[in-house]
């Protein structure tokens, strides 16, 4: 039981959510370690959404809205455990598909993640079991298996808490890649087109409200937001904030 007045109550509750997700076969045991790494970076950025992150969120929202329904939200165990409701909301607002894609792939986990997303209203969850029948070239991990109607043909792929190999492979395939990664110097952060350096639990609700705010804007102004965004510059701003002590 976490006391409500504990100074780190929110962070402790997030840990509990992941542990619960692990017990329900959603999160891989390695996902708990990955979260600890994320927490360390979260301290360094002051556990808040910085101005560079807000800029990346705006560009990500514009990018998802201009993908002509050819965007896919790739969901792993940590993402599904932390924010299933917001993932489904983001898919509904943008018309993006949802695909389960795991590094530590087991059919049991895929099904548990699909069921969790369906609980919040997801209708057509791609990439589960034999549906992941296509392969991403140049990848040897289990992440190479994708749905031929989803990630394989997508123009834009949202890959939060991702490993560098697949991000690089998706970029090589010509896809626009959006990620959420607390580590601004990870290979994923550097390879993606739009990197939101923020905790997934803050970034996803912010992305949902930004897409709501931008929805209905004309294509030209949305494209302008994307063109003006420079991921390299934005990452170096995030890094500077960490060096200065935010
Ligand atoms: O569910 P699976 O089988 O696909 O496995 C998922 C994990 C996360 C275990 C797998 O993708 C993995 O091992 O990831 P990595 O290589 O440890 O990378 C995760 C990245 O996400 C690291 O750079 C972390 O700093 C970052 N990260 C961890 N928690 C968060 C985060 N970024 C944003 N928000 C978080 N809550």
């Amino acid at each position: 039981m976490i006391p409500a007045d504990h100074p780190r109550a929110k962070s402790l509750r997030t840990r509990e959510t992941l542990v619960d997700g692990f017990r329900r076969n959603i999160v891989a045991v390695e996902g708990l370690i990955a979260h600890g790494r994320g927490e360390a970076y979260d301290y360094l950025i002051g556990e808040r959404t910085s101005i560079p992150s807000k800029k990346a969120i705006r560009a990500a929202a514009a990018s998802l809205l201009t993908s002509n329904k050819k965007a896919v939200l790739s969901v792993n165990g940590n993402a599904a455990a932390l924010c299933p409701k917001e993932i489904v909301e983001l898919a509904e607002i943008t018309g993006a598909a949802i695909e389960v894609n795991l590094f530590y792939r087991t059919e049991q986990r895929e099904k548990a993640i699909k069921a969790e997303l369906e609980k919040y209203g997801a209708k057509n969850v791609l990439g589960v079991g034999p549906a992941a029948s296509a392969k991403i070239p140049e990848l040897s991990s289990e992440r190479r298996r994708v749905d031929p109607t989803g990630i394989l043909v997508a123009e834009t792929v949202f890959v939060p808490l991702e490993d560098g190999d697949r991000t690089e492979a998706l970029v090589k395939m010509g896809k626009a890649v959006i990620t959420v990664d607390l580590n601004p110097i990870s290979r994923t952060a550097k390879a993606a087109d739009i990197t939101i350096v923020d905790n997934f639990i803050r970034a996803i609700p912010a992305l949902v409200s930004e897409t709501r705010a931008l929805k209905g804007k004309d294509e030209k102004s949305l494209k302008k937001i994307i063109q003006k965004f420079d991921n390299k510059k934005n990452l170096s701003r995030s890094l500077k904030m960490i060096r200065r002590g935010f």
Side-chain angles (χ1 to χ4, degrees), residues 34 37 76-77 102-104 109 143 181-182 198-200:
R37 181 148 64 140
N76 66 15
L102 305 181
F103 188 83
Y104 302 101
R109 286 190 59 224
R143 280 219 200 275
D181 193 330
L182 276 160
D198 200 6
N199 197 323
F200 192 64

Side-chain angles (χ1 to χ4, degrees), residues 14 18 26-39 41 75-79 82 101-105 109 113 143 160-164 180-183 186 188 196 198-201:
T14 305
L18 281 166
I26 291 171
V27 176
V29 66
E30 294 83 355
L32 303 177
I33 300 169
H35 182 73
R37 181 148 64 140
E39 274 185 349
Y41 282 103
V75 179
N76 66 15
N78 288 43
L82 289 173
N101 183 274
L102 305 181
F103 188 83
Y104 302 101
R105 188 184 278 269
R109 286 190 59 224
I113 291 168
R143 280 219 200 275
L161 284 78
E162 182 67 21
D163 66 272
V180 180
D181 193 330
L182 276 160
N183 176 1
S186 75
T188 292
I196 303 166
D198 200 6
N199 197 323
F200 192 64
I201 60 166

